[in-house]
């Protein structure tokens, strides 16, 4: 008579549990509403005036990964028809004339985070990475780290108008209290730091706010050198602890404050900028150089010209400094 083999109970429990978990994960991956998620991401970008294009959206390790991501500022404003085309990932999208030149991002991975509860992300772009998290049980905590970004990549020149080379690193840690249930940037606390190594503007075209008037200008080669910037933020008021850079062309020193608004673009700078430029460099600057020469000299160190940065981040005003006493 054949001997009947009995499987241990714990093995049955483990086997059924593993099977159920695999079946749940497969079902989740097959039925996950990727199109809905794409549409929500496109809508959030459109609300800020940007066109977001996602090449592919697929499951990643414990989360989701988007690849071939492109973000551009829409020159003539977002329309409902254009937003629908972006949300459906249409192959018939218009060109840069309507969508703007895009910043290209190789990939963005998003996953749940436990400490604090929320979402963690990591983006591969500009030859480096941007990583961080957003979450919290009460106040919203935001942490971002920029590592070894190379501004010569990712079509940053087309996106921003600046042809840059060098290396950029930085970090941002913010705690946003809630006002009427929503995170309030204007009451945030935290710290922002940026540093660059060997940063050079090789050219490009920018709009400079000269005495309150937006003025398009072609830029010559400008060596910015090594930048060190640190801002401490308390109850929505950012105080500049360090803002300086020095190269063979230019030396810049900055001080003052940045009053955060409920949106970053309406934040208000109130900063004194000291500019020390070599004579040959001033000649190369052309019209910008002429503007520098009429700025008042710094009373404590006449080699510097002093300017005042005010207005809003989306409409800054750059002109002569206030009268020094």
């Amino acid at each position: 008579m054949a001997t009947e083999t009995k499987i241990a109970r714990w093995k049955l429990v483990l086997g059924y549990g593993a099977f159920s978990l695999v079946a749940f994960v497969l079902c989740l991956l097959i039925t996950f509403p990727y199109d809905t998620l794409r549409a929500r991401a496109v809508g959030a970008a459109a609300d800020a005036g940007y066109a977001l294009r996602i090449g592919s959206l697929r499951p990643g390790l414990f989360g989701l990964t988007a690849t071939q991501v492109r973000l551009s500022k829409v020159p003539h404003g977002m329309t409902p028809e254009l937003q629908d085309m972006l949300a459906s990932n249409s192959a018939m999208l218009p060109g840069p004339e309507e969508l703007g030149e895009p910043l290209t991002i190789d990939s963005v991975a998003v996953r749940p985070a436990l400490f604090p509860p929320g979402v963690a992300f990591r983006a591969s772009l500009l030859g480096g990475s941007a990583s961080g998290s957003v979450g919290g049980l009460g106040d919203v905590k935001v942490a971002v780290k920029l590592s070894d970004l190379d501004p010569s990549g990712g079509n940053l020149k087309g996106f921003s108008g600046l042809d840059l080379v060098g290396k950029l690193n930085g970090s941002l840690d913010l705690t946003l209290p809630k006002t009427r249930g929503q995170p309030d940037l204007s009451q945030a606390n935290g710290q922002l730091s940026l540093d660059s190594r060997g940063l050079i503007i090789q050219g490009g075209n920018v709009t400079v706010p000269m005495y309150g008037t937006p003025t398009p200008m072609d830029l010559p080669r400008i060596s910015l050198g090594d930048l060190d910037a640190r801002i401490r933020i308390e109850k929505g008021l950012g105080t500049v602890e360090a803002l300086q850079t020095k190269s063979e062309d230019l030396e810049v020193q900055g001080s003052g404050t940045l009053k955060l608004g409920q949106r970053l673009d309406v934040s208000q700078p109130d900063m004194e900028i000291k500019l020390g430029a070599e004579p040959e460099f001033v000649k190369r600057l052309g019209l910008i150089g002429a503007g520098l020469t009429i700025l008042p000299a710094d009373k404590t160190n006449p080699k510097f010209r002093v300017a005042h940065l005010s207005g809003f981040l989306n409409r800054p005003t750059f002109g002569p400094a206030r009268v020094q006493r």
Side-chain angles (χ1 to χ4, degrees):
M1 187 174 179
T3 303
E4 186 175 326
T5 303
K6 186 175 181 180
I7 301 176
R9 182 178 180 84
W10 70 269
K11 292 182 179 180
L12 288 171
V13 172
L14 182 62
Y16 282 124
F19 174 78
S20 299
L21 179 60
V22 171
F24 172 75
V25 171
L26 287 175
C27 182
L28 180 63
L29 296 180
I30 293 171
T31 62
F32 191 88
Y34 295 104
D35 291 341
T36 301
L37 182 61
R38 182 195 300 270
R40 292 190 64 178
V42 167
D47 289 342
Y50 289 89
L52 175 65
R53 286 162 279 179
I54 301 174
S56 68
L57 192 60
R58 63 174 188 269
L61 185 62
F62 307 116
L64 297 172
T65 298
T67 59
Q68 299 175 349
V69 178
R70 289 169 291 172
L71 184 70
S72 56
K73 182 71 173 178
V74 183
H76 310 297
M78 181 66 69
T79 64
E81 294 78 14
L82 184 55
Q83 184 173 335
D84 289 342
M85 294 176 71
L86 291 166
S88 63
N89 201 28
S90 171
M92 303 298 292
L93 286 170
E97 296 80 11
E98 291 188 42
L99 289 178
E101 285 285 349
L103 175 68
T104 60
I105 302 170
D106 299 326
S107 66
V108 180
V110 181
R111 61 172 178 80
L114 296 178
F115 304 104
V119 174
F121 65 89
R122 180 179 178 84
S124 297
L125 74 163
L126 303 180
S129 66
S131 58
S133 62
V134 180
L137 294 175
D139 297 343
V140 176
K141 298 183 183 297
V142 179
V144 179
K145 182 179 181 181
L146 307 177
S147 301
D148 294 326
L149 300 185
D150 180 356
S152 65
N155 193 37
L156 184 61
K157 178 182 177 181
F159 179 75
S160 68
L162 291 176
D163 184 4
L164 292 164
V165 297
K167 287 290 185 181
L168 292 170
N169 295 278
S171 64
L172 172 68
D173 290 286
L174 279 183
T175 299
L176 284 71
K178 291 184 178 180
T179 301
R180 295 186 292 275
Q182 297 298 320
D184 190 351
L185 180 64
S186 68
Q187 296 299 315
N189 298 286
Q191 181 87 19
L192 168 68
S193 66
L194 290 171
D195 70 81
S196 71
R197 294 293 175 264
L199 191 63
I200 299 173
I201 299 175
Q202 298 192 121
N205 182 272
V206 295
T207 299
V208 179
M210 297 295 291
Y211 304 101
T213 302
T215 307
M217 293 184 179
D218 293 323
L219 293 177
R221 182 186 185 277
I222 303 174
S223 175
L224 297 176
D226 298 342
L227 168 70
D228 178 22
R230 295 189 305 276
I231 298 178
R232 185 184 74 256
I233 303 168
E234 295 180 344
K235 294 184 177 180
L237 183 65
T239 301
V240 176
E241 294 185 327
L243 178 56
Q244 57 191 17
T245 185
K246 186 176 183 179
S247 71
E248 65 271 20
D249 289 335
L250 185 68
E251 183 175 356
V252 179
Q253 299 176 4
S255 60
T257 62
L258 175 65
K259 181 68 180 73
L260 296 177
Q262 292 190 341
R263 298 197 326 267
L264 182 61
D265 61 337
V266 295
S267 298
Q268 298 173 276
D270 183 10
M271 298 183 184
E272 183 181 82
I273 308 296
K274 296 183 180 181
L275 303 161
E278 295 298 320
E280 288 301 318
F281 172 65
V282 173
K283 292 180 182 179
R284 293 206 317 266
L285 286 178
L287 183 59
I288 298 178
L292 288 179
T293 59
I294 62 176
L295 292 174
D298 180 33
K299 288 188 175 182
T300 59
N301 189 343
K303 82 169 186 176
F304 286 101
R305 299 284 181 165
V306 187
H308 184 240
L309 179 63
S310 58
F312 301 90
L313 289 186
N314 61 352
R315 295 192 309 276
T317 299
F318 187 81
R322 297 165 177 169
V323 177
Q324 297 179 336
R325 299 184 185 278

